Amino acid sequence: MTATSTGGSVDERNPFVYVVAALAALNGLLFGFDTGVISGAMLYIRETFELATIFGYSMNPSLVEGVIVSGAMIGAIVGAAFGGRLADRLGRRRLILVGAVVFFVGSLIMAVAPTVEVLILGRIVDGIGVGFASVVGPLYISEISPPKIRGSLVSLNQLTITSGILIAYLVNYALSEGGQWRWMLGLGMVPAAILFAGMLFMPESPRWLYERGHEDDARDVLSRTRTESQVAGELREIKKNIQTESGTLRDLLQAWVRPMLVVGIGLAVFQQVTGINTVMYYAPTILESTGFEDTASILATVGIGAVNVAMTVVAVLLMDRLGRRPLLLSGLGGMTVMLAVLGAVFYLPGLSGGLGLLATGSLMLYVAFFAIGLGPVFWLMISEIYPMEIRGTAMGVVTVLNWAANLIVSLTFLRLVDLFGQSGTFWLYGVLTLFALVFCYQLVPETKGRSLEEIEADLRETAFGSTVGDDSPRPAESDD
Ligand code: BGC
């Protein structure tokens, strides 16, 4: 094992840091629950409300449904847009607390909504909480983690996203009998309350504290999550890179930051336009067309959710051993092949029997390949590649783009299927996945095992040192 400048090897395993990361990863649970729950609830919301009017204006019911479903994504775009700057201003921990309260209030509003307008308001508020959570969860965990286990700890956030989706599918299934959509949506209050209560006892990010001039507090947090020998080294590095001013949007465009801005934006957009959420939102619809009955397709959807969780566990275990690039690139390769197969299977006439199973199996493998690579690596990378003074702002910007792409893909999926058929749509996502593979191969750096300060120093050196213009990926650090 190479010793990094931040200290030793095996002794990174201070149990407290796992507690902090696991608790902060509940941010992902809010995100995932919100993603998974609405498709189930929507079936029954239709029966409670007259969806043909909003504020007295008559509307197409499917448009109103679209607004209810996408309201949370619009909220998340707003939340992420402000979340980055707020994380820099208020601090990471305080923004997590605010996000939990906002999400709690949104879930409560939805659960008791007397009218469809109030329900939409609840979705937007809930989404703002998700937007905050999606930026600040990975950011906080990344800054609190020792370098050698940072990949696994930040990926816990993706594990809770996928678990949240699976829990939501199960809740939908359990509550579908009585059509209890208010409970489905209201249950989001539980993880929000746990996150809030737990975070009251967690420390602020040592890097944010240091930047704000609280050196003693920063040292104190580091001592609680590191061994003695590591604290001094890590503090020295943080000191070296520190800037007094917090960055603005314009700072994002500085020449030396720009390559990483491109990487973040590319990953954000590719994570969505390669189609994952068409499966998360529309799996039952896709599966029904392969010959599954109603209930069977819901159960198969639960199966897809379980594969997503299981493969994310594998990613958590491998992230710091294999590195980000091998997982990302092999995951993208696998996704491309699976999308090609799905397109072919849907192209053939008559999907029942063996072909139906092949379609379901390919769909599961596609999700598995996403779960091992692009899913966790996007959130991890964007918490690692930006310099301290603009980290929050930069993460906010790329997260907004991720949510915007998510919204566009979910709004256009059914239309694309109308236009190109299911096979054409899968092939289209397949081509975009191939582009993603080339992009990542060329531009995404390996960050395994390096401290956030080393990554930042590298970035400056690449821009200002002799390696200007060299955009070839850095080789993975040798580890053990
Ligand atoms: C993505 C979400 C997606 C989820 C599926 C996340 O990384 O950002 O949009 O729903 O993975 O597991």
Side-chain angles (χ1 to χ4, degrees):
M1 220 175 220
T2 7
T4 66
S5 45
T6 41
S9 45
V10 260
D11 53 356
E12 259 103 355
R13 279 150 228 277
N14 179 330
F16 184 58
V17 80
Y18 289 94
V19 175
V20 183
L23 204 105
L26 284 178
N27 280 293
L29 204 67
L30 307 186
F31 177 160
F33 187 79
D34 188 76
T35 299
V37 81
I38 192 63
S39 56
M42 204 58 233
L43 298 173
Y44 309 101
I45 291 173
R46 277 184 207 134
E47 291 166 13
T48 309
F49 294 121
E50 171 80 65
L51 295 180
T53 55
I54 290 192
F55 292 118
Y57 293 102
S58 46
M59 292 258 222
N60 181 336
S62 60
L63 185 67
V64 179
E65 260 185 46
V67 175
I68 297 174
V69 174
S70 52
M73 271 183 255
I74 292 165
I77 292 174
V78 175
F82 290 100
R85 299 304 303 275
L86 284 175
D88 284 344
R89 293 239 172 108
L90 300 178
R92 293 29 172 149
R93 175 178 164 274
R94 231 176 281 157
L95 185 62
I96 295 179
L97 292 170
V98 173
V101 172
V102 174
F103 188 89
F104 185 96
V105 172
S107 305
L108 183 61
I109 296 177
M110 291 190 293
V112 300
T115 63
V116 71
E117 290 81 3
V118 178
L119 179 65
I120 292 170
L121 173 76
R123 286 285 291 161
I124 294 175
V125 173
D126 182 80
I128 294 176
V130 172
F132 287 162
S134 60
V135 176
V136 76
L139 171 59
Y140 174 80
I141 302 177
S142 174
E143 289 187 347
I144 205 117
S145 302
K148 277 210 178 339
I149 51 172
R150 191 181 57 239
S152 296
L153 294 186
V154 178
S155 301
L156 285 180
N157 197 66
Q158 175 72 11
L159 183 59
T160 51
I161 295 178
T162 55
S163 309
I165 295 174
L166 180 60
I167 291 170
Y169 287 165
L170 291 170
V171 165
N172 288 348
Y173 186 63
L175 297 180
S176 61
E177 188 91 338
Q180 303 170 52
W181 65 266
R182 291 183 188 278
W183 277 101
M184 293 178 188
L185 296 173
L187 273 174
M189 285 187 280
V190 177
I194 300 174
L195 174 62
F196 182 86
M199 274 318 283
L200 288 176
F201 301 98
M202 297 297 120
E204 180 50 274
S205 147
R207 290 178 162 79
W208 184 84
L209 283 169
Y210 195 93
E211 209 211 18
R212 295 280 143 158
H214 306 295
E215 182 173 347
D216 288 344
D217 294 337
R219 176 173 299 121
D220 183 50
V221 176
L222 285 174
S223 325
R224 290 168 72 191
T225 49
R226 312 283 194 271
T227 58
E228 263 316 295
S229 66
Q230 294 167 332
V231 175
E234 198 156 334
L235 212 52
R236 211 174 315 121
E237 276 198 59
I238 295 176
K239 244 181 234 183
K240 236 182 356 197
N241 280 20
I242 220 69
Q243 309 279 330
T244 41
E245 294 294 309
S246 134
T248 62
L249 276 179
R250 186 158 339 123
D251 294 331
L252 277 184
L253 298 174
Q254 297 170 90
W256 68 286
V257 184
R258 232 177 283 149
M260 289 307 114
L261 192 62
V262 172
V263 167
I265 292 174
L267 285 172
V269 173
F270 280 129
Q271 201 209 29
Q272 296 299 326
V273 299
T274 47
I276 188 64
N277 281 313
T278 61
V279 182
M280 295 297 116
Y281 303 141
Y282 297 104
T285 318
I286 300 174
L287 288 166
E288 265 173 20
S289 60
T290 69
F292 277 101
E293 303 290 323
D294 270 12
T295 330
S297 76
I298 290 177
L299 272 182
T301 304
V302 172
I304 289 179
V307 167
N308 198 7
V309 174
M311 292 311 285
T312 309
V313 172
V314 176
V316 167
L317 296 174
L318 296 182
M319 198 58 80
D320 291 309
R321 290 190 200 167
L322 296 184
R324 288 51 163 161
R325 275 176 62 84
L327 290 177
L328 181 63
L329 299 177
S330 53
L332 282 167
M335 283 169 73
T336 311
V337 173
M338 287 309 132
L339 285 166
V341 173
L342 275 166
V345 175
F346 276 92
Y347 191 70
L348 299 170
L351 256 185
S352 48
L355 274 186
L357 283 181
L358 181 61
T360 313
S362 317
L363 208 58
M364 287 193 170
L365 280 175
Y366 160 79
V367 170
F369 281 118
F370 173 86
I372 198 125
L374 195 54
V377 172
F378 162 64
W379 294 107
L380 171 58
M381 272 279 150
I382 64 166
S383 74
E384 298 183 318
I385 56 177
Y386 297 112
M388 175 65 205
E389 87 249 33
I390 54 160
R391 192 170 295 138
T393 310
M395 283 184 74
V397 169
V398 296
T399 305
V400 165
L401 293 174
N402 182 264
W403 282 110
N406 188 338
L407 179 64
I408 291 169
V409 170
S410 22
L411 291 180
T412 52
F413 174 64
L414 294 178
R415 185 89 190 100
L416 286 178
V417 172
D418 275 350
L419 282 176
F420 306 123
Q422 277 185 321
S423 60
T425 308
F426 284 129
W427 279 331
L428 176 67
Y429 294 142
V431 170
L432 290 168
T433 312
L434 201 57
F435 283 142
L437 181 58
V438 175
F439 174 91
C440 293
Y441 179 78
Q442 291 292 336
L443 299 179
V444 172
E446 182 56 82
T447 48
K448 180 185 95 165
R450 321 161 97 103
S451 72
L452 296 177
E453 290 68 31
E454 284 170 324
I455 297 170
E456 179 171 343
D458 263 12
L459 199 62
R460 287 179 198 270
E461 193 188 302
T462 311
F464 302 124
S466 53
T467 41
V468 178
D470 174 10
D471 62 359
S472 59
R474 282 182 234 325
E477 291 258 295
S478 67
D479 197 3
D480 1 41

